[in-house]
Amino acid sequence: PVSIKIRVRGVSQCANYEGLYATIIFVPNFYWRLIYMATFINTLWQGLWYKGGVGNWSYQFHRLAGIATLLFLAIHILDTATVFFFPSLYIHAIELYRSIPFMLGEIALVAGVLYHGMNGLKIIFFDVQPSRWTHANEQKANVIVYIGTFVLWLPAALIMGNSMYQHSILPLLGV
């Protein structure tokens, strides 16, 4: 069971519901962005401490991969928009993206996108016929998703890692 917290004028009441978490706070509309961010952080924090097993970790990784992909797309759109308005800023952004931390982040992003897609297909598979959704089937499916993600990610990671080695690491070593 996961809690729903309802806070009205500083008074908090909790109720437990299966498979659902949300924090509802009644405040003026001015603060809604801060509340949603606090709710998201609270959800992630409680998700780390929840002892739900493989299904919980699958949910957390799926959510994290989706958010990372969304963040990457937003940054990509913003930096591409600078080509027209601020070409020097765009060139600086490209130089940043060629640095080792960003390239490692891109390799991790590929893993996240692949995991998000594979896990989404798993969810569709179970949602089409809900009778398939048992604890044993979910554990097997999660293992398949993890292995499938790794098998699909490994060639991409090797190609991207080779590019990072040739274009970022070797020039730093003076080779």
Side-chain angles (χ1 to χ4, degrees):
V2 185
S3 295
I4 288 185
K5 296 178 184 175
I6 300 172
R7 188 175 298 161
V8 182
R9 294 185 190 146
V11 177
S12 181
Q13 296 178 345
C14 293
N16 289 327
Y17 292 94
E18 284 288 327
L20 178 65
Y21 180 80
T23 300
I24 302 168
I25 304 172
F26 299 99
V27 296
N29 287 335
F30 178 74
Y31 298 105
W32 69 270
R33 289 185 182 143
L34 294 174
I35 291 167
Y36 287 140
M37 190 65 193
T39 301
F40 170 70
I41 292 169
N42 193 20
T43 301
L44 284 180
W45 182 251
Q46 287 190 359
L48 291 175
W49 295 107
Y50 175 64
K51 304 291 185 219
V54 176
N56 180 56
W57 286 107
S58 177
Y59 167 76
Q60 294 295 332
F61 290 151
H62 188 77
R63 189 168 191 174
L64 184 64
I67 290 169
T69 304
L70 182 65
L71 179 66
F72 170 79
L73 289 174
I75 291 170
H76 182 67
I77 289 168
L78 288 173
D79 73 16
T80 304
T82 62
V83 169
F84 183 71
F85 298 109
F86 305 105
S88 62
L89 184 60
Y90 178 75
I91 292 169
H92 178 68
I94 295 301
E95 289 173 5
L96 269 176
Y97 298 154
R98 290 182 181 159
S99 68
I100 294 171
F102 273 94
M103 293 182 94
L104 289 172
E106 283 184 344
I107 293 171
L109 179 68
V110 169
V113 168
L114 289 171
Y115 176 78
H116 193 76
M118 295 277 294
N119 196 53
L121 290 174
K122 178 197 79 169
I123 292 168
I124 291 169
F125 175 76
F126 284 118
D127 279 351
V128 167
Q129 190 174 357
S131 62
R132 295 176 183 157
W133 205 289
T134 65
H135 183 68
N137 285 346
E138 183 181 2
Q139 285 187 331
K140 290 176 192 173
N142 281 330
V143 170
I144 291 169
V145 167
Y146 295 144
I147 291 171
T149 299
F150 182 76
V151 167
L152 291 173
W153 172 76
L154 190 59
L158 291 174
I159 292 168
M160 294 172 77
N162 184 35
S163 175
M164 179 178 64
Y165 178 72
Q166 289 181 358
H167 300 292
S168 294
I169 295 175
L170 285 179
L172 283 177
L173 298 175
V175 178

